[in-house]
Amino acid sequence: MNTSKKIFIAGHNGLVGSALIRQLSTRDDIEIITRARSKLDLTDQRAVFEFFAAIQIDEIYLAAAKVGGIYANTTYPAEFLYQNLALQNNIIEGAHQNGINKLLFLGSSCIYPRMAKQPIQEDALLKGDLEPTNAPYALAKIAGIKLCEAYNHQYGRDYRSVMPTNLYGPNDNFHLNNSHVIPALMRRFHEAVIGKQNDVMIWGSGNPYREFLHVDDMATACIHIMDLPHKTYSQATSPELSHINIGTGQDISIAQLAQMLANITGFNGNIKYDTSKPDGMPRKRLDITKLTQLGWQPKIELHAGLAQTYAWFKTQAQYRMT
């Protein structure tokens, strides 16, 4: 008899989902369940409900999301709000209807107010205005946290939420316009080196500070939190404030990040800044005290993680996206 725990990874081909698979595949006590987007559209409620009814699943990692940087968020706000609401609602309700008691919802640090006190503690949620450049995505993620809390309160489910800082690593999206800052800059510097360009232009002033976490560290933190006994998780959180921050506790300016990436990629030209473009939040560093007290620490230092990611990037063809 197969007694392995069946774990569904929603978004298994993405940055976080693929990292979760890398970590979980080393264990022999679980069976990983995945579905390609062509086989299961997570925004299709009927398809999601039928999928959960057909397969007995024990746990869900909800890593699927429509994601992107400032350009993508400001250009496609309707898609960012609707698609994220739809897929997370379908998965959470579908899990509940089919008796799946454990779920981990992956949010984003953009849920916090634009001018939140630094470092940002979990209780800053809903205590100020959101950053306008990613408000639709943030609103969807806030709704996901609160939906999990509602099912826990009303039905006794064990649906947990984590709030990661900015992530990077293998299988990221390297689209020049729609990606986040690290993959966009990495590709830009790489192509500048290949094309022997003298200048690289960066959006904004370079002054904002951001915290960056390697996705493999993110995956280990998610699994650590999911594996905590229910009593331990409950004592560390509260029914109305159930999410836990995941990060490094350290940040760096965009200008410093750009110089680090220039050095890693071998770009020796000029780094210029387009100050007509938005900066986003001035600073966004998470307080990870709660998570470290629960026994987890990040292991991958930023420069080493960026170098490893760039080595992976150079082996790929996917980054040649229009």
Side-chain angles (χ1 to χ4, degrees):
M1 180 181 295
N2 184 1
T3 59
S4 296
K5 182 166 55 177
K6 290 185 177 181
I7 298 179
F8 175 52
I9 310 293
H12 70 285
N13 283 323
L15 176 64
V16 178
S18 60
L20 285 167
I21 288 179
R22 284 196 298 274
Q23 298 295 326
L24 290 169
S25 62
T26 64
R27 294 168 49 170
D28 58 8
D29 61 336
I30 65 170
E31 178 184 350
I32 298 173
I33 307 295
T34 64
R35 286 295 183 274
R37 185 178 301 178
S38 60
K39 300 294 184 181
L40 177 62
D41 178 1
L42 297 177
T43 65
D44 182 335
Q45 185 184 74
R46 176 177 293 180
V48 172
F49 286 13
E50 290 177 350
F51 167 70
F52 285 137
I55 299 179
Q56 186 175 355
I57 292 170
D58 299 297
E59 295 181 3
I60 298 171
Y61 285 82
L62 208 176
K66 180 176 179 61
V67 299
I70 289 177
Y71 174 85
N73 274 270
T74 54
T75 305
Y76 313 110
E79 285 84 350
F80 272 83
L81 183 55
Y82 173 77
Q83 291 183 24
N84 282 301
L85 283 172
L87 69 87
Q88 66 198 35
N89 289 350
N90 292 343
I91 291 174
I92 294 168
E93 169 65 11
H96 166 66
Q97 286 196 10
N98 288 278
I100 303 169
N101 199 51
K102 288 200 69 175
L103 178 147
L104 188 73
F105 176 74
L106 279 73
S108 166
S109 57
C110 70
I111 65 168
Y112 292 119
R114 170 180 168 78
M115 301 305 294
K117 181 181 177 181
Q118 305 290 318
I120 306 173
Q121 297 181 338
E122 285 87 352
D123 62 5
L125 182 65
L126 296 176
K127 291 185 177 177
D129 294 334
L130 297 170
E131 163 57 39
T133 57
N134 55 28
Y137 182 72
L139 286 168
K141 289 300 183 179
I142 292 170
I145 299 168
K146 293 305 174 183
L147 190 60
C148 287
E149 291 174 354
Y151 280 85
N152 292 342
H153 172 75
Q154 187 170 344
Y155 298 109
R157 295 300 184 192
D158 186 5
Y159 294 169
R160 308 177 183 189
S161 298
V162 294
M163 294 303 110
T165 190
N166 300 282
L167 303 173
Y168 71 96
N171 291 317
D172 209 339
N173 171 19
F174 289 87
H175 191 288
L176 283 175
N177 292 325
N178 294 340
S179 61
H180 288 110
V181 61
I182 283 180
L185 289 180
M186 186 174 289
R187 177 177 170 182
R188 199 166 296 168
F189 283 125
H190 174 79
E191 293 185 346
V193 171
I194 298 300
K196 297 182 171 27
Q197 300 170 20
N198 293 322
D199 302 322
V200 166
M201 184 68 72
I202 295 175
W203 271 34
S205 66
N207 294 324
Y209 275 71
R210 291 291 183 270
E211 176 185 12
F212 298 99
L213 179 72
H214 193 283
V215 71
D216 285 344
D217 272 344
M218 170 64 180
T220 64
C222 288
I223 296 166
H224 180 84
I225 290 170
M226 193 65 146
D227 287 346
L228 290 172
H230 182 265
K231 182 178 180 181
T232 302
Y233 183 83
S234 298
Q235 289 176 340
T237 60
S238 70
E240 296 80 26
L241 200 67
S242 64
H243 61 284
I244 295 178
N245 289 341
I246 302 178
T248 65
Q250 300 177 347
D251 58 6
I252 184 175
S253 74
I254 298 301
Q256 291 171 314
L257 173 69
Q259 188 59 60
M260 188 180 292
L261 284 167
N263 294 340
I264 288 171
T265 58
F267 176 73
N268 297 314
N270 303 310
I271 301 175
K272 297 184 176 182
Y273 295 91
D274 183 354
T275 55
S276 69
K277 297 296 192 294
D279 273 336
M281 290 177 67
R283 193 165 198 176
K284 191 168 60 172
R285 177 165 63 96
L286 298 184
D287 186 320
I288 60 168
T289 302
K290 187 173 292 186
L291 182 54
T292 58
Q293 289 176 344
L294 289 169
W296 180 88
Q297 291 280 352
K299 294 181 179 179
I300 303 173
E301 183 269 334
L302 181 59
H303 188 279
L306 291 174
Q308 180 252 21
T309 302
Y310 184 55
W312 174 87
F313 169 82
K314 289 189 294 184
T315 69
Q316 306 301 306
Q318 299 99 302
Y319 78 88
R320 297 186 179 89
M321 302 168 71
T322 57

